[in-house]
Amino acid sequence: MMRTNQTNRDLFYDLCYLLSLIFVLAFAGIFIDLLVGSMPSIEKFGWSFLSIKNWNPVTSEFGALGCIVGTLTSSFIALSLSISLSFGIVIYIKKIAPFHLQKYLRMIIDLLAGIPSIIFGMWG
């Protein structure tokens, strides 16, 4: 018996809902696991750990603010550079590059874009 389009659509929506629910539950599980794993540190240093800048192992003063600010700053700089560079490459390939070079340049860019996924796969 053939399924109707409406039945297929309902099945697709139900599957998408189920997969999104699994994703949310997995994310919540990871968050809870990280929170439970960090409880000894939170009990010893308190939540002020996130707002203190000092990191001095000699006096047992530990704060993550410097690391957090440094991570956010370097991420912002990296994203700014990479986004502007990628837009520049796209504009060059689409509007400026000669037609006979466009195919080769797109192929090179696609290869460069594929390298991190291969490396992440090998690490996994």
Side-chain angles (χ1 to χ4, degrees):
M1 181 173 172
M2 293 285 285
R3 289 184 181 258
T4 64
N5 280 343
Q6 184 64 33
T7 307
N8 286 339
R9 190 174 298 128
D10 291 341
L11 180 65
F12 178 72
Y13 287 145
D14 290 343
L15 182 64
C16 286
Y17 180 78
L18 177 67
L19 291 175
S20 63
L21 184 64
I22 290 171
F23 173 76
V24 169
L25 290 175
F27 185 75
I30 291 170
F31 179 77
I32 290 169
D33 185 52
L34 289 172
L35 188 64
V36 168
S38 66
M39 284 312 290
S41 173
I42 292 170
E43 289 171 357
K44 184 170 182 177
F45 300 108
W47 288 100
S48 62
F49 170 77
L50 296 173
S51 62
I52 296 174
K53 189 176 181 180
N54 295 339
W55 187 279
N56 190 354
V58 175
T59 60
S60 294
E61 291 180 41
F62 300 103
L65 184 62
C67 296
I68 293 170
V69 170
T71 299
L72 292 176
T73 304
S74 63
S75 297
F76 176 75
I77 292 170
L79 283 171
S80 300
L81 291 173
S82 63
I83 288 172
S84 59
L85 182 64
S86 64
F87 276 125
I89 290 170
V90 168
I91 290 170
Y92 176 75
I93 290 175
K94 289 292 187 182
K95 300 291 182 186
I96 300 171
F99 183 73
H100 65 281
L101 285 180
Q102 288 180 4
K103 181 173 91 171
Y104 299 111
L105 291 173
R106 281 185 292 178
M107 184 174 56
I108 291 170
I109 297 299
D110 287 341
L111 285 173
L112 288 173
I115 288 173
S117 62
I118 292 170
I119 292 172
F120 292 149
M122 288 190 302
W123 283 347

